Amino acid sequence: MDTQEFQKSITEELNIIKNRVRNLIGNRHWGEEGKYKEAILKNVLRKFLPQNISVGTGFIVNTNRQEDISKQIDIIIYDNSYPVLFSEGDFIITTTKNVKGIVEVKSSIGSGNNTFRSVIQQFDETIESIKNSIGNRKLFLGIFSFEFNRDINSDIIEDVLHQSSKKVNHISLGKDYFIRKFKSQDANRLEPPVISCNNDFYNIYEITNLSFSYAISNLIDIVCGGLNDRYWFSFPIQGTKEVYKIKTICL
């Protein structure tokens, strides 16, 4: 099996559908571009998630303080074996009890309103009302951008992440750049180990045509409680992706 090419085909699938829609609507409806990219990503996620896990959009109510309701969330990954408060199509309102993941989808991160800083700040604001209810429970908390301005260098990323709530744990910047947050205890299990950090840290990777699939595989790994029996399939870089690390950001 050529698992790496299979995972790269996920990126190709996302880009093909994205471009297919763009070819039809041109630049006349850019306001809708984010919505159809959310739909594209949702459909891809549904292909890989088990039947008890659903993909929707909507609001999350703080289990401990019912008056605290999140801003509308692009993608909510949730366990459908536990009842939601409201459901209509893929729109849901639920509590944090059955939430497995939260994803913010961006068409592009670059200049203008969608700078890396503003996207991180927006994500922090979205989950602010529910983060205390989540506690230490492991969730996928990710930002997925189909494209990004390559002027966003690692120094800018480090500066922004240091000033954020540090809740986001996975970021896909276009098809080539992937950022993941690690706990301090993970430092020694990486190869080579991270010896420069005593606290939690982010690693930035350049993994050509694999950023999308690595974000999706990490989402599935967290949501499903581990992918030990198919790790070789979900994370196909031979040996370790650590050789593609650009920078470690100590928190």
Side-chain angles (χ1 to χ4, degrees):
M1 282 190 260
D2 194 334
T3 55
Q4 189 166 137
E5 287 304 312
F6 177 88
Q7 293 295 337
K8 286 181 179 180
S9 74
I10 296 173
T11 296
E12 293 173 6
E13 179 180 359
L14 286 163
N15 280 327
I16 286 170
I17 300 172
K18 174 198 71 175
N19 293 333
R20 190 178 295 155
V21 174
R22 182 177 287 181
N23 289 337
L24 288 174
I25 68 172
N27 60 1
R28 288 167 292 182
H29 302 286
W30 289 123
E32 299 299 311
E33 187 176 27
K35 292 181 180 178
Y36 77 73
K37 286 182 176 176
E38 288 175 28
I40 292 168
L41 182 55
K42 285 178 192 172
N43 287 336
V44 170
L45 290 176
R46 289 186 181 112
K47 294 178 182 179
F48 293 99
L49 290 169
Q51 291 186 352
N52 68 305
I53 303 296
S54 290
V55 182
T57 186
F59 299 89
I60 301 173
V61 179
N62 188 325
T63 306
N64 299 325
R65 296 181 60 189
Q66 290 75 32
E67 66 272 22
D68 287 345
I69 303 176
S70 71
K71 294 185 176 182
Q72 183 159 359
I73 295 170
D74 293 340
I75 296 179
I76 302 172
I77 314 296
Y78 64 100
D79 184 347
N80 59 43
S81 64
Y82 191 87
V84 298
L85 302 178
F86 177 83
S87 174
E88 185 67 40
D90 70 352
F91 177 84
I92 65 161
I93 302 174
T94 190
T95 66
T96 52
K97 176 76 173 181
N98 62 341
V99 173
K100 299 286 188 179
I102 295 170
V103 183
E104 186 82 16
V105 182
K106 294 296 179 185
S107 295
S108 178
I109 295 178
S111 58
N113 292 329
N114 281 331
T115 64
F116 187 75
R117 187 178 304 277
S118 66
V119 168
I120 296 295
Q121 289 173 343
Q122 181 183 0
F123 187 85
D124 284 351
E125 291 171 4
T126 298
I127 64 172
E128 176 65 30
S129 62
I130 61 173
K131 66 181 181 181
N132 292 332
S133 181
I134 293 172
N136 293 323
R137 185 157 55 94
K138 191 173 183 180
L139 299 183
F140 182 92
L141 300 171
I143 296 170
F144 192 105
S145 181
F146 279 78
E147 299 170 10
F148 88 107
N149 185 337
R150 291 176 184 265
D151 289 338
I152 304 173
N153 58 46
S154 60
D155 291 336
I156 293 172
I157 291 172
E158 179 172 13
D159 178 61
V160 172
L161 290 178
H162 267 299
Q163 296 180 42
S164 74
S165 71
K166 304 171 185 65
K167 285 290 182 182
V168 60
N169 49 36
H170 296 81
I171 304 171
S172 182
L173 293 176
K175 63 185 180 63
D176 298 331
Y177 293 90
F178 177 63
I179 303 171
R180 180 181 168 181
K181 184 182 179 184
F182 291 90
K183 294 291 186 182
S184 58
Q185 57 265 32
D186 294 324
N188 288 328
R189 73 173 181 82
L190 298 178
E191 186 58 46
V194 174
I195 59 175
S196 57
C197 298
N198 295 320
N199 301 314
D200 295 351
F201 58 96
Y202 288 97
N203 275 348
I204 306 173
Y205 304 93
E206 183 176 2
I207 44 176
T208 305
N209 291 322
L210 283 170
S211 176
F212 294 165
S213 69
Y214 261 70
I216 291 170
S217 291
N218 275 276
L219 184 153
I220 297 168
D221 182 51
I222 290 173
V223 166
C224 298
L227 293 174
N228 293 335
D229 69 325
R230 63 197 69 194
Y231 197 88
W232 51 271
F233 169 77
S234 301
F235 305 102
I237 293 178
Q238 291 283 333
T240 172
K241 72 180 183 305
E242 298 307 309
V243 296
Y244 298 101
K245 181 175 70 177
I246 297 174
K247 189 172 190 175
T248 293
I249 301 171
C250 301
L251 301 177

